[in-house]
Amino acid sequence: GSLRPRPNATQYTAQDVGPAMRQEAERACAASHFLDRVISHCEAALIQNEITNVFSDDFAHLTDEDGMSGNHKESTVTETQSFTHLTYSKNKVVSAVQWLPHRRGVVAVACSEALSHAERVVKAGRPANAYILIWNFKDPIHPECVLQAPSEVLTFQYNPCNTDMVAGGCYNGQVLIWDTAFEQERI
């Protein structure tokens, strides 16, 4: 009969290993020693697979139930503070967060546009200001300080030896350094 069309990649003939080569492979010393060494581990793994139900949903047991004992507040996390600025952070995503190491109740947040990688590639090279906002828990409406960047900040870190210095890495590959000493005096 005629063969049906197939892609070139699948048009090959199977290679058959003759009986002499098969016996030689079975008698190979290295393979035999390897199998002797690992057979106990393989048996243990197979037994464990028989005992453990890998298809069970362990997270189903973690849901809230009506008959749950204890206080419901013990198992929930509540929001203690929310920071949003209409100009700098509204409709943006947080790309990095860091507590200020030298100040209690103060957090720094880098906000970025909610874009996919493809959208970021299209916008690459175009100047667009981005910001790191320094928020104090005492005033959740107005940031204490705004650090401006020429591109969206992917990550930033305070210098552990000089907490007035902040290093940031942008999506476009730039590395920025801010000196916040003047801003700290103003605050």
Side-chain angles (χ1 to χ4, degrees), residues 38-170:
V38 299
I39 193 150
S40 62
H41 298 293
C42 291
E43 286 176 349
L46 290 171
I47 290 169
Q48 186 176 8
N49 285 345
E50 285 293 319
I51 295 171
T52 306
N53 183 1
V54 295
F55 299 108
S56 70
D57 183 10
D58 294 331
F59 292 111
H61 303 293
L62 299 177
T63 61
D64 289 339
E65 296 178 8
D66 294 335
M68 194 167 121
S69 63
N71 187 352
H72 181 67
K73 286 190 173 196
E74 293 173 358
S75 64
T76 60
V77 177
T78 58
E79 177 182 316
T80 59
Q81 202 65 280
S82 177
F83 304 102
T84 301
H85 193 277
L86 295 175
T87 305
Y88 303 120
S89 63
K90 186 168 179 151
N91 298 325
K92 295 191 178 189
V93 296
V94 174
S95 58
V97 176
Q98 192 167 114
W99 294 99
L100 271 67
H102 58 291
R103 297 189 51 212
R104 186 178 169 102
V106 181
V107 66
V109 179
C111 298
S112 300
E113 296 289 333
L115 301 174
S116 67
H117 177 69
E119 292 168 326
R120 286 192 194 287
V121 170
V122 170
K123 287 184 75 173
R126 296 182 192 154
N129 289 334
Y131 306 95
I132 295 177
L133 307 173
I134 313 294
W135 293 100
N136 191 321
F137 281 23
K138 295 175 185 172
D139 185 5
I141 298 173
H142 306 289
E144 276 188 358
C145 179
V146 178
L147 305 177
Q148 186 173 352
S151 177
E152 292 184 333
V153 178
L154 175 64
T155 185
F156 64 93
Q157 179 76 42
Y158 276 84
N159 183 333
C161 299
N162 180 358
T163 55
D164 293 332
M165 302 298 287
V166 182
C170 297

